[in-house]
Amino acid sequence: MSLIEMDHIHKRFGSLEVLKDCTMHVEEGEVVSIIGPSGSGKSTFLRCLCNLEIIDGGTIIVGGDVMTRQPQGVNRSIYAPSSQVHKICLRMGMCFQHFNLFPHMTVLDNILEAPRVVQGKKTEEIMPIAEALLKKVGLWDKCNVYPSRLSGGQKQRVAIARALAMNPDIMLFDEPTSALDPELTGEVLRTIKQLADDNMTMIIVTHEMAFAKEVSKRILFMAEGIIEEEGTPEQIFEHPKSARTKNFLKSMLRF
């Protein structure tokens, strides 16, 4: 059994079907990047995994625990009790495009807040972990600074440290560099690459093709709500089979 199993996922917004029978399995320690044009369903697919969107059909299982399943003969997905869904979601850390840091809290308090509130830990218990994480992302010297005084790249690295403070098994990244100036992108990508080197299981929605090729064990190409093609970085970038994949890469890589 894979660590993450998303089978035959369907998602609609009103009459618009955004995800059309999408399936993805991710193994422990694997890094999977999801690429594709804007509006293809990439972010929605990721948000369904961490329960930020409710699916209409399909099955999601994480670490053997069922979040939602569509029984045979039933036309919709049935979710597990909220306590089990919450337990599953705690295994995942999420980083968004726009950081979502608490502006009224210092960098350090942003890291400490979730373990204190969600896990009921005491500050003195979390402090060594918070310090180690901020040092890991190169921002311990900013621990008493408020987010408004940070660059975009620094904010995103704090957001990564904040997610890691919950000790997740899985990290999810939704376009982590799309809100950044090009010169700030590299520092965030280096942090994610370090997590990959540490064998963190990750799913990354990204438009950074060179980075996806370097860090991923597997690439999924999505278009118009379906997974058009998947394979190793070499297969997708060097030998794509689908015409849509080829055209997308040609537009992104300009070859």
Side-chain angles (χ1 to χ4, degrees):
M1 177 176 285
S2 302
L3 178 60
I4 299 168
E5 298 183 0
M6 300 180 73
D7 290 312
H8 307 294
I9 305 300
H10 291 262
K11 172 64 183 175
R12 299 176 186 84
F13 292 112
S15 61
L16 177 65
E17 190 171 22
V18 179
L19 298 176
K20 308 168 185 176
D21 198 25
C22 294
T23 292
M24 173 181 69
H25 288 195
V26 180
E27 305 301 322
E28 185 174 356
E30 189 176 22
V31 179
V32 175
S33 288
I34 305 176
I35 64 173
S38 297
S40 59
K42 306 183 301 295
S43 293
T44 300
F45 195 37
L46 197 67
R47 289 170 66 86
C48 288
L49 174 57
C50 60
N51 200 43
L52 291 176
E53 299 288 354
I54 303 300
I55 66 173
D56 296 298
T59 296
I60 301 174
I61 302 174
V62 179
D65 294 326
V66 177
M67 177 186 290
T68 181
R69 188 193 297 276
Q70 184 169 1
Q72 189 172 3
V74 177
N75 64 1
R76 64 184 180 89
S77 190
I78 308 297
Y79 275 79
S82 58
S83 58
Q84 175 151 320
V85 173
H86 180 68
K87 174 187 169 187
I88 293 169
C89 289
L90 285 178
R91 300 186 65 176
M92 295 179 270
M94 180 79 170
C95 285
F96 301 89
Q97 298 178 36
H98 298 289
F99 329 126
N100 292 356
L101 298 178
F102 298 116
H104 63 291
M105 294 183 180
T106 65
V107 164
L108 182 58
D109 280 329
N110 264 278
I111 307 298
L112 297 173
E113 184 68 3
R116 284 190 297 215
V117 173
V118 179
Q119 297 177 331
K121 293 183 177 179
K122 297 185 181 299
T123 299
E124 55 268 26
E125 181 183 358
I126 319 161
M127 187 64 75
I129 298 169
E131 180 177 350
L133 287 171
L134 285 172
K135 286 179 177 177
K136 184 183 184 75
V137 300
L139 289 171
W140 176 242
D141 62 323
K142 303 290 186 182
C143 67
N144 293 317
V145 171
Y146 287 89
S148 61
R149 304 297 298 273
L150 300 177
S151 70
Q154 290 170 332
K155 290 176 185 176
Q156 190 61 284
R157 283 186 285 153
V158 171
I160 293 171
R162 181 177 64 177
L164 290 172
M166 294 291 289
N167 194 29
D169 299 317
I170 302 156
M171 283 291 290
L172 310 177
F173 293 93
D174 185 12
E175 297 283 9
T177 61
S178 66
L180 303 180
D181 294 331
E183 63 268 25
L184 300 176
T185 295
E187 62 190 60
V188 174
L189 297 183
R190 282 191 294 273
T191 300
I192 299 173
K193 176 65 164 60
Q194 186 178 358
L195 295 178
D197 292 341
D198 293 339
N199 293 315
M200 171 65 75
T201 306
M202 293 190 285
I203 304 173
I204 307 167
V205 171
T206 184
H207 283 298
E208 299 287 342
M209 296 298 105
F211 176 70
K213 184 176 182 180
E214 176 188 3
V215 78
S216 307
K217 293 183 181 177
R218 192 153 45 93
I219 305 285
L220 272 62
F221 171 70
M222 291 188 69
E224 297 180 8
I226 67 169
I227 297 174
E228 177 76 14
E229 187 169 356
E230 67 176 288
T232 66
E234 181 182 8
Q235 289 169 335
I236 297 299
F237 287 102
E238 305 298 336
H239 309 287
K241 297 177 182 178
S242 163
R244 280 202 283 194
T245 310
K246 291 176 184 178
N247 289 336
F248 173 77
L249 293 175
K250 184 175 182 180
S251 69
M252 293 297 291
L253 301 174
R254 293 179 172 83
F255 59 71

